Amino acid sequence: MAEVLYWISTFVLILTHLCILGYELLLLVDLEFDYINPYDSTSQINQVVVPEFIVQGILCFVNLIAGHWFIFFLSLPSLYYNVRSYSRREHLADVTEIYNKLNSERKKLLFKVAYLVAVFVIAVVSLVWTLTDDVN
């Protein structure tokens, strides 16, 4: 039963992370089509960057504690990138540079979303596998 609770918590953490990334992506698209001004967009993006990093850190920590090494090692490069960008103070969006970095930020977010969808699929398959093992 603990294994099922682990996979459900992983499922919730990944969905939370996907929602945060989707919100950031939506803000960038709104900025690209001039639905929102750069100041509001960057301030809203900067408000969710640290919670995104925290959710990613919790996801890695939960996988480490649970001993699920494949997903832990799969999540480790993203955690490293987040820690590196936070320590170099590159994690916040700059109002004056947001239009210059719009394409690269959007590509970075799309890469993160694709990566998380792959981890999400692995987590769902593992959850189903665990549920079928518990039945037998």
Side-chain angles (χ1 to χ4, degrees):
M1 189 64 181
E3 194 74 17
V4 173
L5 290 175
Y6 158 76
W7 285 115
I8 291 173
S9 66
T10 301
F11 178 76
V12 168
L13 284 170
I14 293 171
L15 281 180
T16 304
H17 199 177
L18 278 172
C19 288
I20 292 171
L21 290 175
Y23 179 69
E24 289 180 33
L25 195 57
L26 182 68
L27 287 171
L28 288 178
V29 169
D30 284 349
L31 180 64
E32 183 179 17
F33 291 115
D34 287 332
Y35 295 137
I36 191 171
N37 65 33
Y39 178 77
D40 290 338
S41 178
T42 55
S43 66
Q44 290 175 4
I45 288 173
N46 289 341
Q47 287 177 353
V48 296
V49 168
V50 173
E52 172 197 344
F53 289 179
I54 290 170
V55 168
Q56 178 67 31
I58 291 171
L59 181 66
C60 282
F61 182 72
V62 166
N63 287 313
L64 177 65
I65 295 299
H68 291 275
W69 303 110
F70 181 72
I71 293 184
F72 171 71
F73 285 125
L74 197 62
S75 301
L76 208 54
S78 178
L79 182 67
Y80 171 74
Y81 176 78
N82 290 344
V83 168
R84 186 179 62 98
S85 68
Y86 185 80
S87 65
R88 291 182 178 180
R89 299 198 185 274
E90 298 172 349
H91 64 288
L92 297 176
D94 185 19
V95 166
T96 59
E97 290 291 321
I98 193 67
Y99 281 114
N100 295 336
K101 295 182 178 181
L102 192 62
N103 280 337
S104 64
E105 289 294 320
R106 190 177 57 227
K107 287 178 185 177
K108 180 177 73 170
L109 285 174
L110 287 174
F111 180 77
K112 284 183 176 183
V113 167
Y115 150 77
L116 273 175
V117 166
V119 172
F120 180 73
V121 167
I122 292 170
V124 168
V125 167
S126 298
L127 173 65
V128 170
W129 192 340
T130 302
L131 287 174
T132 57
D133 276 352
D134 285 347
V135 171
N136 294 329

